Amino acid sequence: MGVLALLSPLPVAPYADALRRAAPGLDVWTREDDAPPDRVEAILAWRLQPGQLARYPNLRLVCSIGAGVDKLMPADLPASVLLTRVVDPNQGCEIAQYVLACTLGFTRELGRYAQQQAAAQWLRHPVRAAAQCRVGILGLGAVGQAVARAFMPLGYPVAGWSRRGEPVPGVEVFSGEGGLAALLARSDLLVCTLPLTPATRGLLNRRTLSQLPRGAFVVSVGRGEHLVEADLRALLDEGHLAGAALDVFEREPPDASNWVWHHPKVVATPHIAAQASFDTVAAQCLDALRRARDGLPLPHAVDRAAGY
Ligand code: GLV
């Protein structure tokens, strides 16, 4: 019995190597054609197509290589197959670094000073007060909380919005439809770390983004499908929003002609904010497989009804 790593078009070798290092002797296949279907006990994947699992009669577990599992839930994923995701504390830390880099570049006006430098211009502007940089985080899971913890020591007021509204130390927590409107109305810096589910798809659209204060800055590090890109563009062009940092897109990669690459108010990066480490992915996949065999609960099991 063994693990099939199905990661195309991502490079599969680092994941397969990490699995082999962590469990010498375990069968690890990297191509569907090489794996005897009845010996596949777990599949490590990033996305699955409908029907792709039908040929594996002894499959017990699907492991995501990432925190998000939105591409791993084809409607025909059998109920008997467990689904788990990776929770890598370092990934939360890296996303927090990315968010800080983008938002502080904005609040400390590094773009403006770069222009002044190009013109050898010594012009000092007042620093924007921390109270005017109210942070709003959509999603208060492991990643959202890491982002919150990174902002707090800088003195920026931090609030967040989550489905369950559970308390998070130091964070003003909102939930529900009314809570979303309240969070948006007080967020000068909006950071989206939500999982992608039917309830969050398209959540950032003209109606919701218009509820942000004029001059707000948006950071999108969850999934591209949270954001209606055309609505963002309209609000940037109209001057309601001052800027955006996008690490995820409706379509990845965006075409070379896509406005997101070229808009002066947009920082666009190729889904690099963070990646779970190969060794953590392998260790958590193998731990989940052992637990699945023993009928034990999985620490990072996905709640299929919730979608994350
Ligand atoms: C990255 O996008 C992840 O889901 O881990």
Side-chain angles (χ1 to χ4, degrees), residues 156-249:
Y156 293 178
V158 180
W161 181 76
S162 69
R163 190 169 63 98
R164 286 190 287 260
E166 279 168 8
V168 176
V171 179
E172 188 183 358
V173 178
F174 296 86
S175 66
E177 182 78 15
L180 179 60
L183 177 102
L184 292 170
R186 49 105 26 242
S187 295
D188 303 299
L189 307 172
L190 183 76
V191 184
C192 181
T193 70
L194 287 165
L196 181 65
T197 69
T200 64
R201 184 178 291 271
L203 186 78
L204 296 179
N205 52 46
R206 177 175 263 283
R207 183 181 64 80
T208 50
L209 293 173
S210 301
Q211 294 170 44
L212 291 166
R214 194 173 176 80
F217 185 86
V218 174
V219 185
S220 181
V221 286
R223 285 289 181 266
E225 296 93 328
H226 288 132
L227 174 69
V228 181
E229 288 171 4
D231 289 357
L232 173 77
R233 180 185 194 176
L235 289 165
L236 288 168
D237 289 344
E238 290 162 19
H240 183 73
L241 297 177
L246 309 179
D247 188 51
V248 291
F249 300 88

Side-chain angles (χ1 to χ4, degrees), residues 46 65-68 91 222-223 271 274:
W46 169 243
I65 57 159
Q91 192 176 15
R223 285 289 181 266
H271 204 141

Side-chain angles (χ1 to χ4, degrees), residues 46 64-71 85-86 91 95 143 221-223 247-248 252 271-276:
W46 169 243
S64 169
I65 57 159
V69 293
D70 45 285
K71 296 174 184 60
R85 69 196 190 101
V86 160
Q91 192 176 15
I95 294 200
V143 170
V221 286
R223 285 289 181 266
D247 188 51
V248 291
E252 293 183 7
H271 204 141
I272 45 73
Q275 185 181 15

